[in-house]
Amino acid sequence: MKKFFEEFKEFALKGNVMDMAIGVIIGAAFGNIVSSLTDSFINPLIALICGGNSEDGVKIGGQFVINGVAFDYGSFLSAVINFLIIALVLFCMLKAVNGAVEKAASLKKKEEAAAEPTTKICPKCQSEINIKATKCPCCTADLDA
Ligand SMILES: [Zn+2]
């Protein structure tokens, strides 16, 4: 049991928990925005498209009513739409983050490649020597400047 708490402490102190908590809070807040969007705009649109003026009169708002039994397809559709919007946004965020990470990595690589070499390899003895050397300090061979 003591080991469990030690492991938990280590986990909590790594900062992952804070990141995770922030993610959960943002996710919840974002979920509210999306569900309010679907409730306010998309659901009425669905109701409008599905026809409030249907001759049969079986559609009322986001519900089918058959023999007095209501099928609340509106809230099901809005849950599906919520999920799709959140999944799409998360996918885009993930792509953006991955892109930024990749860009940073390639930028660093480029910088490393662009950094001027300060050493060269002596063609006679294969030692690594100063790039400006005209005489190898290892084998004393004369080198072209
Ligand atoms: Zn040499």
Side-chain angles (χ1 to χ4, degrees):
M1 206 58 184
K2 202 183 167 195
K3 201 180 170 209
F4 175 82
F5 280 116
E6 270 172 21
E7 271 177 31
F8 177 74
K9 198 175 146 197
E10 198 179 306
F11 170 72
L13 288 178
K14 268 182 188 163
N16 297 346
V17 170
M18 278 307 291
D19 292 349
M20 226 156 68
I22 290 167
V24 167
I25 291 164
I26 290 173
F30 186 69
N32 283 342
I33 292 171
V34 172
S35 53
S36 126
L37 174 78
T38 49
D39 284 348
S40 308
F41 294 102
I42 295 172
N43 282 356
L45 210 66
I46 291 167
L48 211 66
I49 291 165
C50 291
N53 295 330
S54 169
E55 278 278 313
D56 304 328
V58 292
K59 289 159 191 167
I60 304 163
Q63 294 180 333
F64 287 112
V65 180
I66 300 169
N67 293 335
V69 179
F71 292 83
D72 191 3
Y73 73 90
S75 59
F76 175 71
L77 269 182
S78 61
V80 171
I81 290 165
N82 277 1
F83 171 76
L84 288 177
I85 292 172
I86 290 171
L88 186 75
V89 169
L90 285 181
F91 176 71
C92 291
M93 277 168 74
L94 207 70
K95 257 184 99 85
V97 168
N98 281 349
V101 168
E102 248 168 56
K103 209 173 177 185
S106 77
L107 206 73
K108 202 178 169 196
K109 226 178 200 175
K110 232 181 221 170
E111 264 172 25
E112 277 170 11
E116 285 196 14
T118 56
T119 58
K120 63 181 173 184
I121 301 295
C122 169
K124 302 279 193 307
C125 69
Q126 304 300 314
S127 300
E128 195 175 13
I129 58 174
N130 192 300
I131 196 154
K132 287 177 186 162
T134 55
K135 199 174 192 72
C136 177
C138 303
C139 67
T140 69
D142 285 318
L143 306 168
D144 296 326

